[in-house]
Amino acid sequence: MPPRTVVIGVDSSTQSTKAAVTDTETGELLAVGRAPHVVTGEGGARETDPEVWWLALCDAVAAGLKESGLSPSSVVGIAVAGQQHGLVTLDRAGRPLRPALLWNDTRSAPQAAALVAELGGPEAWTARTGTVPVASMTATKWRWLRENDPSNAEATASVRLPHDFLTERLAGVAATDPGDASGTCWYSTARGAYDPDLLERLGLSVSMLPEVAATGGTRIGSLTESAAEALGLPAGIAVAAGTGDNMSAAVGLGLGGAGLLDHPVLSLGTSGTVFAASRTRPASTALSGFAGADGTYLPLACTLNCTLAVDKVASLLGLHRDDATPGGEAVLLPYLDGERTPDLPTSSGLLTGLRHDTTPQQLLGAAYEGAAFTVLRALDELLLACGLDPADPEVAGRPLRLIGGGAQGRTWVETVRRLSGRPLIVPGSGELVALGAAALAASAAGGGDPVAVAARWNEKSEDAELPAVERDTETWERIGSVLDRASEPLLGG
């Protein structure tokens, strides 16, 4: 019997790094090492020193390998999936000049509005990049940096996304993939390349950016001697291009050209996202029209306020996160960090509909409802972007795959089930972002198409399938009415 070989899939998220040690043949998750991050900033600022990510990656890989009990010599490949949109600026020696601006840093909202206007409006951006700039996007953060920290902007020799920065540390090669690159707003999904006109407008050059590999599973190099020493792994193993966290989750679910197409996914984490893999290039100003990691597209809508916002409300009320009941007449829009979808970067939370008999449990339930509603509202637009009719009974009956930390919470699951009226599938495979990264690593190590790899691994997954319940249209319409009427005067729209 041949010796067991494994790959390591790294999920470098906003709050922590996870390193999944995965059997290359079966996809069995043998161990997961973890290490925390530190996020700083007040008001709209959210920053992290990129060196924190590298140290966390080293710690997480060491912990995962130790937990697995395997020899480092069994590892044949590694790939990183990272939080999207973050701006990493490097000097000529490849060292970070300042803390990275994270995806949920909303200070660049004015720059986003200016960029939209300069190109001629939202439709012009959708036609070029697939995505309308909002404060989350990297291009807006680079514009903000040039206007607010010009000395560091001037000293910048290279610009990277979070996963690019880590991949370069691993292989010594400046590389990215179409998926994560498509979240910058300087990569054209129409051209499949960086957009020279947009780079000129932004004051960037192609020489400052990493080369775009064909897919996230493309082998872009080998683990360097120095990285191997830091990680305790063999030098020379395959390093994949890697991708963004949402693209990696899609791969982990087996979504893509070699798997499921046009099937919606709802991810409940620090952010809430709804997405699908499709061969149809999305062209909706209401969505982010990203590329996928495998050559398909990944239309996506993202909210800033999801599990952390609801947990904050639970903390304020002194309740456990599952000590909630339906909100009744109360409506709570938990936009504690501003909001991206809808585009309300300066908004704050809004509570209305209080009565004498409103309970703390109902207020917490209203926070769940407000967060779930906000991301579910984009589902029909997502289906349209895939070329589907949301009213078609077959399309309306497609199950919604529920992933992320919230998918493990009883109240989250039941709230989504009640407000969507759809059947739900909760995948049995855990750590989907890291699993997708592992499939990319396996692909780079010679394993074939990464989506096909993940789909094969998932054949043994024990998914939970929940039938549809009658949709709670009364709550849905009440929340929608409040959001529509409050956006301009109360939420800063």
Side-chain angles (χ1 to χ4, degrees), residues 46-438:
R46 295 291 184 276
E47 299 183 343
T48 295
D49 181 352
E51 296 292 352
V52 168
W53 300 331
W54 174 246
L55 294 174
L57 189 156
C58 294
D59 289 346
V61 167
L65 203 57
K66 181 179 180 180
E67 182 185 334
S68 74
L70 295 172
S71 166
S73 63
S74 63
V75 181
V76 296
I78 187 169
V80 177
Q83 55 179 304
Q84 289 186 254
H85 311 309
L87 175 67
V88 181
T89 52
L90 307 177
D91 64 17
R92 295 190 182 280
R95 295 185 297 261
L97 285 162
R98 68 180 313 284
L101 277 67
L102 305 187
W103 63 276
N104 52 351
D105 188 310
T106 59
R107 287 175 291 178
S108 61
Q111 288 75 24
L115 285 170
V116 173
E118 286 173 20
L119 200 63
E123 291 78 11
W125 281 93
T126 300
R128 296 271 283 273
T129 70
T131 300
V132 181
V134 294
S136 299
M137 304 299 169
T138 321
T140 73
K141 299 179 189 305
W142 173 248
R143 172 70 66 88
W144 181 91
L145 192 72
R146 294 187 73 195
E147 294 177 4
N148 292 274
D149 189 1
S151 60
N152 275 323
E154 183 66 27
T156 298
S158 304
V159 170
R160 301 288 184 263
L161 295 167
H163 114 263
D164 305 342
F165 170 76
L166 294 171
T167 301
E168 190 168 6
R169 283 287 176 93
L170 294 173
V173 175
T176 190
D177 86 302
D180 213 7
S182 68
T184 60
C185 278
W186 59 62
Y187 176 91
S188 170
T189 55
R191 293 162 48 96
Y194 293 126
D195 188 308
D197 175 58
L198 294 179
L199 292 179
E200 184 177 356
R201 287 175 180 271
L202 292 163
L204 286 169
S205 66
V206 172
S207 64
M208 298 172 69
L209 303 176
E211 185 175 345
V212 184
T215 73
T218 299
R219 180 170 184 162
I220 51 88
S222 303
L223 194 66
T224 66
E225 293 283 354
S226 59
E229 183 178 356
L231 294 169
L233 295 177
I237 65 172
V239 178
T243 193
D245 51 3
N246 290 300
M247 294 78 190
S248 188
V251 171
L253 286 165
L255 272 60
L260 281 174
L261 290 168
D262 304 323
H263 279 250
V265 177
L266 178 64
S267 176
L268 301 169
T270 303
S271 62
T273 59
V274 60
F275 61 87
S278 181
R279 293 197 186 280
T280 303
R281 180 180 177 269
S284 167
T285 58
L287 300 171
S288 295
F290 297 142
D294 71 329
T296 57
Y297 296 100
L298 198 79
L300 178 148
C302 177
T303 65
L304 294 185
N305 300 276
C306 197
T307 57
L308 287 184
V310 172
D311 283 351
K312 178 63 175 180
V313 174
S315 176
L316 290 172
L317 294 169
L319 298 175
H320 183 272
R321 60 166 60 102
D322 278 325
D323 191 11
T325 61
E329 292 185 57
V331 171
L332 203 168
L333 301 176
Y335 301 165
L336 308 187
D337 288 317
E339 190 45 79
R340 169 173 166 179
T341 304
D343 185 19
L344 300 166
T346 62
S347 64
S348 57
L350 176 68
L351 172 63
T352 186
L354 286 177
R355 299 292 184 185
H356 280 291
D357 59 355
T358 302
T359 67
Q361 289 75 17
Q362 286 178 312
L363 290 182
L364 181 55
Y368 275 100
E369 291 168 352
F373 171 90
T374 302
V375 66
L376 282 170
R377 200 184 203 198
L379 182 56
D380 282 357
E381 191 70 29
L382 173 76
L383 295 171
L384 287 169
C386 293
L388 303 174
D389 179 3
D392 183 320
E394 189 277 327
V395 175
R398 289 186 186 183
L400 185 61
R401 283 168 169 77
L402 198 61
I403 66 172
Q408 308 306 313
R410 172 180 54 83
T411 305
W412 274 114
V413 172
E414 290 307 314
T415 303
V416 169
R417 196 178 178 202
R418 177 166 53 91
L419 291 182
S420 71
R422 286 178 172 269
L424 302 183
I425 293 177
V426 182
S429 300
E431 307 297 348
L432 283 164
V433 173
L435 182 67

